Amino acid sequence: MAIRRGHFKTRLGFILAAAGSAVGLGNVWKFPWLAGENGGAAFLVIYLVIAFTIGVSVMLAEFLIGRAAERNPVGAFVRLKGGAWPIIGYMGVAAAFIILSFYSVVGGWTIAYAVKTATGLLETPETSALGGLFAAFTADAVEPLVYHAVFMALTVGVVSRGVGAGIERACKVLMPVFFVLLVVLCIRSVTLPGAAAGLKFFLAPDFSKVTPGMVGAALGQVFFSLSLGMGAMITYGSYVSHKANLPGAALWVTSLDSVIAVLAGVLVLPAVFAFGLDPQAGPGLTFITLPAVFSRMPLGGLFGTLFFLLLFIAALTSAVSLLEVAVAYFVDEKGVGRIKATLTVGAVIYLLGIPSSLSLGVWRDVTVAGKGIFDLMDYVASNLLLPLGGIFIALFAGWVVYPRVIDEATGGGARPFRWAPLWKVMCRFVAPAAVAWILIAGL
Ligand code: PHE
């Protein structure tokens, strides 16, 4: 029996949805803080190299696997090969639960900060005061959990209706607005007195700072930021028309996502230096520096509110793709209704997120292998599960179903795919070997 599946209407709609999944808190919240912790420009260079070699190749592999199978990540491996391969899909579904649990906590922060900026609660240029406000907010045992619930409820609301015209249309308008606002804010940030040191830190690489741990962090960030290694792009690829040119789409999405990450770095890091903050401040970095930037510009309250609202939307479109992976699995494979699947999975992920949030406050002292719960969730997913998934996705596309996916890439030979030989080598050898090497060196 043929199951009727959703479809993106246009290639542009597909690219925007995939970019909506990629562009999110990973770019604006996580990237500047990781770059700050890992030597700035050297991290940026390594990040970009990995993104445009391994990242873009794995993304294309995911698109092609998804479209060839027209299934969720578990079903896709079952349909194309079976055997032990579906394990990769199950790992992806597990990663969706883990990532969305803490992602939704941070998504809640963006809503809270939109509200706090709009009501003038953050109107102080004093970064020490802002640091205190951030620490007090995230350490609270109730407030962040309420916003976490709001964020999760909105994600559930979108996914339960299907990733249809609503989110596609919203992305088309809001993502360009987000981009323009990002550029305006970058200009304010780099013209702050004292910003030059931050720009230099972010743009003039000092390669003596390269360590295996830092390369591992860059790799994890590439997978996280491009939504790779867990089947989000397999799932979205399964909804795209057979006429769309997927190699081009993979390049587009990788480029858009990288540009936004670089802009976020240019926004946050000069401000960090201008205000004498420590670039190693960790997950709070963006939430502490940005309000300080806003309070030093005309109409800062307005710009600030708008910015956090748009960041919230960017986060929502990513969260939707995370939830969609798990929901598509239960809908396709277990025959659960979409609404029931969305509500149940959403509730479980909400509960999973509570320890992450509390680990920044009352459960601060609970650590596993030296990491708090929040950091542990992030680490296990981004630095272990996603790269591991990426290795096997590349191997699968390069060796196991290569003729099939090449057929998908070229529309049965109708379209040129000029970098096919390169892509083949990437998937068969370079990506798996490099990722495995980085994973091992990082441990
Ligand atoms: N790429 C998203 C971001 O940068 C997060 C994400 C990871 C989404 C994995 C889907 C899958 O915010």
Side-chain angles (χ1 to χ4, degrees), residues 42-430:
F43 181 85
L44 171 64
V45 171
I46 289 175
Y47 175 87
L48 290 176
V49 168
I50 298 177
F52 282 94
T53 52
I54 298 172
V56 73
S57 304
V58 174
M59 184 179 293
L60 179 55
E62 291 205 20
F63 284 167
L64 296 173
I65 291 170
R67 193 170 61 180
E70 297 188 299
R71 276 289 174 282
N72 66 89
V74 175
F77 286 104
V78 171
R79 216 178 212 199
L80 295 179
K81 190 65 191 179
W85 286 103
I87 293 173
I88 309 307
Y90 287 112
M91 264 170 50
V93 174
F97 276 85
I98 298 176
I99 295 178
L100 188 51
S101 72
F102 71 83
Y103 201 87
S104 169
V105 171
V106 183
W109 298 353
T110 64
I111 306 177
Y113 266 59
V115 173
K116 288 173 195 285
T117 313
T119 51
L121 280 175
L122 300 173
E123 231 172 83
T124 164
E126 293 304 326
T127 40
S128 55
L130 289 165
L133 285 171
F134 177 77
F137 165 65
T138 50
D140 194 87
V142 179
E143 204 187 346
L145 291 180
V146 173
Y147 285 108
H148 168 41
V150 173
F151 187 87
M152 204 58 221
L154 291 167
T155 309
V156 164
V158 174
V159 173
S160 65
R161 287 188 184 82
V163 190
I167 198 111
E168 245 180 275
R169 218 178 307 133
C171 284
K172 249 184 229 177
V173 181
L174 293 166
M175 286 322 240
V177 179
F178 180 61
F179 186 80
V180 171
L181 194 63
L182 208 54
V183 173
V184 171
L185 295 173
C186 281
I187 295 172
R188 170 68 278 207
S189 181
V190 299
T191 51
L192 287 166
L199 264 187
K200 183 157 171 269
F201 174 75
F202 187 53
L203 298 176
D206 168 4
F207 288 110
S208 68
K209 292 196 179 130
V210 177
T211 62
M214 170 247 232
V215 178
L219 177 81
Q221 174 62 7
V222 166
F223 276 88
F224 185 87
S225 188
L226 294 175
S227 309
L228 300 177
M230 52 156 288
M233 295 305 186
I234 293 180
T235 309
Y236 274 18
S238 77
Y239 298 135
V240 75
S241 131
H242 287 272
K243 285 191 280 255
N245 165 10
L246 293 180
L251 262 178
W252 262 109
V253 175
T254 305
S255 306
L256 282 172
D257 188 72
S258 303
V259 168
I260 304 239
V262 171
L263 282 176
V266 169
L267 168 59
V268 172
L269 292 168
V272 168
F273 280 75
F275 301 143
L277 277 165
D278 181 2
Q280 315 230 350
L285 197 66
T286 301
F287 287 90
I288 296 166
T289 40
L290 289 186
V293 174
F294 300 137
S295 41
R296 279 169 217 229
M297 58 193 287
L299 298 177
L302 183 68
F303 277 114
T305 309
L306 202 60
F307 181 81
F308 281 118
L309 272 179
L310 290 168
L311 182 57
F312 151 69
I313 288 159
L316 186 66
T317 56
S318 301
V320 161
S321 73
L322 282 160
L323 186 54
E324 180 65 25
V325 168
V327 167
Y329 164 70
F330 287 107
V331 171
D332 285 356
E333 305 301 310
K334 302 278 167 214
V336 185
R338 177 167 272 273
I339 307 237
K340 189 172 162 211
T342 316
L343 283 172
T344 319
V345 174
V348 170
I349 293 178
Y350 176 75
L351 295 176
L352 265 179
I354 292 176
S356 283
S357 184
L358 293 181
S359 75
L360 302 173
V362 284
W363 288 5
R364 190 175 282 126
D365 297 328
V366 183
T367 59
V368 183
K371 289 183 194 304
I373 301 167
F374 184 105
D375 292 346
L376 187 75
M377 293 285 205
D378 183 12
Y379 181 82
V380 167
S382 315
N383 295 43
L384 299 176
L385 285 178
L386 299 187
L388 209 58
I391 292 177
F392 288 103
I393 288 167
L395 289 172
F396 187 73
W399 294 102
V400 184
V401 289
Y402 185 72
R404 178 76 196 272
V405 290
I406 275 294
D407 212 47
E408 279 297 334
T410 60
R415 282 186 306 269
F417 172 20
R418 285 194 195 83
W419 43 290
L422 205 64
W423 181 69
K424 184 174 172 184
V425 175
M426 283 304 304
C427 285
R428 288 195 168 186
F429 307 105
V430 182

